[in-house]
Amino acid sequence: MTDLPRKNHFLQLPRYEGGSRELRKYISENLRYPAPALEARIEGFVIVAYDVLDDGTVVNMHVVKSLGYGCDEEALRLIGMLQFEKARNRGVRVRMTTKTRINFVLPKLIITYSQSQDDSTGNNKKSCPDKGEPITYNYTITR
């Protein structure tokens, strides 16, 4: 018989409803890229530390790793809007300290350009030899 140490989970900590996957989804859907960061083409991440009270509210937010250009303020705005599930611990109040990394990635630019060679007079109209349809050129530029 082996005596393995038992993990005591008698205190329940507040957690985001749906777990970390839903937290990431919430952040990506509500993130507004700051205009100064877009103009300066800044990418990176901000780490925000904060406390979550037993009723699920977020308090004492502060930036641990800064990015600047308005990204820090946007990260604090997002974290301030979070609401965690309440922890039920038979009257014991719990405060959880945690950190969240918020990524700032520039949006991808896709430009699609189409040109169809067509002459309104019917002259010089090029067509595919097999189908007799006008030739269309497509260009996609991805940054």
Side-chain angles (χ1 to χ4, degrees):
M1 180 178 216
T2 60
D3 291 327
L4 295 176
R6 294 178 64 191
K7 292 184 178 180
N8 293 329
H9 292 287
F10 59 91
L11 285 180
Q12 180 186 18
L13 296 175
R15 69 179 203 102
Y16 190 77
E17 186 176 348
S20 61
R21 179 172 284 157
E22 287 298 316
L23 177 62
R24 287 277 152 217
K25 181 179 173 185
Y26 168 80
I27 289 173
S28 66
E29 289 175 353
N30 293 298
L31 180 72
R32 292 186 294 207
Y33 218 99
L38 278 174
E39 291 172 6
R41 307 214 25 89
I42 299 297
E43 287 186 326
F45 61 91
V46 176
I47 297 177
V48 179
Y50 54 97
D51 295 335
V52 181
L53 301 179
D54 60 333
D55 64 351
T57 57
V58 175
V59 295
N60 298 335
M61 300 173 296
H62 62 279
V63 175
V64 175
K65 191 220 176 269
S66 177
L67 186 59
Y69 294 92
C71 295
D72 301 344
E73 291 80 11
E74 176 63 14
L76 290 172
R77 183 190 70 83
L78 280 174
I79 296 299
M81 292 175 24
L82 291 177
Q83 181 63 40
F84 287 75
E85 293 178 345
K86 295 181 180 181
R88 295 175 182 87
N89 289 315
R90 298 184 205 150
V92 177
R93 300 192 70 165
V94 177
R95 176 183 291 223
M96 175 181 73
T97 301
T98 187
K99 295 178 188 175
T100 299
R101 176 180 167 153
I102 299 178
N103 297 315
F104 288 87
V105 180
L106 288 170
K108 302 295 180 206
L109 175 67
I110 297 176
I111 299 173
T112 303
Y113 176 78
S114 296
Q115 179 180 2
S116 179
Q117 183 149 2
D118 188 14
D119 188 5
S120 60
T121 62
N123 297 335
N124 298 330
K125 185 175 180 181
K126 294 185 179 181
S127 60
C128 289
D130 298 339
K131 301 180 183 174
E133 298 173 0
I135 297 174
T136 302
Y137 300 97
N138 292 319
Y139 303 97
T140 302
I141 301 169
T142 306
R143 180 173 36 158

